Amino acid sequence: DQQVKQNSPSLSVQEGRISILNCDYTNSMFDYFLWYKKYPAEGPTFLISISSIKDKNEDGRFTVFLNKSAKHLSLHIVPSQPGDSAVYFCAARKGGSEKLVFGKGTKLTVNP
Amino acid sequence: NAGVMQNPRHLVRRRGQEARLRCSPMKGHSHVYWYRQLPEEGLKFMVYLQKENIIDESGMPKERFSAEFPKEGPSILRIQQVVRGDSAAYFCASSPFQDTGELFFGEGSRLTVL
């Protein structure tokens, strides 16, 4: 029973273009969503988050959009850079819980 | 200003042996979390601890797995009588307070069971 789904295992984009990574969730009790980035042989690194009371959060080149009615969020990276090449995990949390539920990740490759 | 330190980075055990994974949280962090990542999977929550207390162990297998975070020293994840299915990357994370998903992860401990 996968509550957080990232249906694209991989994504390839050209440097300078926009990268859009998608994430769907099934549990309507989730109220906080996060994106983590992971390089090989390293631990995940927090990237950006959004509360369910918002529909957009922006931090530099990274923007997360939340569509609660569709139970969908997306991470936009613009412009994409080769250093952005990594696996991106979407995660969600229920109010009152410290437990994060992760998707399986999307491997982003940004080609120079 | 060291980050979350995990050791060993790699551990090889034979079936039936014990595995002990250690995690030192970031300085000033009193909340520790353990996650497991199986091959081709996302991270799965195992346990959440504060100093000397297990707060949420709902992700821990009922047998063979235990965790502690003593008053002094690192947090320990202990797996007794390991089986091949325990082979995975085990990540520890810490945070300075509750109610944040912005966890700081260590580099992980990769357990291989022969």
Side-chain angles (χ1 to χ4, degrees):
Chain A
D1 176 29
Q2 210 178 337
Q3 300 184 67
V4 177
K5 298 177 184 178
Q6 294 178 255
N7 291 318
S8 297
S10 62
L11 174 68
S12 185
V13 299
Q14 284 299 121
E15 182 178 3
R17 301 289 191 108
I18 185 171
S19 296
I20 300 176
L21 297 100
N22 293 305
C23 177
D24 298 294
Y25 62 96
T26 57
N27 192 333
S28 57
M29 300 296 290
F30 288 144
D31 66 355
Y32 193 63
F33 304 89
L34 308 95
W35 286 93
Y36 279 83
K37 174 179 174 179
K38 186 180 180 303
Y39 293 116
E42 294 185 12
T45 304
F46 169 76
L47 198 56
I48 192 169
S49 62
I50 187 166
S51 164
S52 60
I53 61 173
K54 295 186 175 182
D55 55 18
K56 177 183 174 181
N57 188 26
E58 191 172 351
D59 183 3
R61 297 185 297 114
F62 303 91
T63 303
V64 56
F65 295 92
L66 175 62
N67 182 334
K68 282 182 63 178
S69 60
K71 293 191 177 70
H72 176 84
L73 63 156
S74 61
L75 174 68
H76 291 212
I77 307 172
V78 57
S80 301
Q81 300 173 354
D84 296 330
S85 297
V87 177
Y88 289 78
F89 290 99
C90 171
R93 194 192 68 182
K94 286 191 286 189
S97 172
E98 294 294 318
K99 184 189 315 185
L100 293 182
V101 180
F102 282 84
K104 289 189 177 184
T106 296
K107 183 177 181 180
L108 173 66
T109 302
V110 179
N111 300 303
Chain B
N1 189 17
V4 176
M5 304 300 291
Q6 288 188 249
N7 67 83
R9 290 293 310 279
H10 300 276
L11 183 64
V12 178
R13 285 287 179 265
R14 297 192 179 280
R15 280 179 295 170
Q17 291 184 318
E18 178 179 288
R20 283 191 182 222
L21 309 177
R22 287 175 290 280
C23 169
S24 296
M26 285 184 71
K27 189 175 180 180
H29 289 195
S30 58
H31 302 256
V32 166
Y33 311 78
W34 285 92
Y35 283 79
R36 175 165 69 172
Q37 185 181 25
L38 296 169
E40 310 301 324
E41 297 286 325
L43 283 77
K44 290 212 170 5
F45 171 83
M46 299 183 76
V47 62
Y48 162 46
L49 312 103
Q50 294 178 26
K51 282 285 187 184
E52 300 185 276
N53 288 306
I54 298 174
I55 307 302
D56 181 352
E57 58 181 345
S58 59
M60 289 280 269
K62 293 286 184 280
E63 297 175 349
R64 302 187 298 107
F65 285 72
S66 62
E68 62 176 9
F69 188 19
K71 187 176 179 181
E72 302 291 338
S75 175
I76 307 282
L77 179 67
R78 182 184 179 203
I79 312 171
Q80 294 178 287
Q81 298 175 306
V82 296
V83 301
R84 289 223 172 99
D86 296 333
S87 295
Y90 291 83
F91 290 96
C92 173
S94 71
S95 69
F97 42 78
Q98 270 183 297
D99 202 28
T100 174
E102 299 173 25
L103 306 181
F104 295 81
F105 281 87
E107 294 184 321
S109 291
R110 182 163 297 280
L111 172 66
T112 301
V113 179
L114 302 178

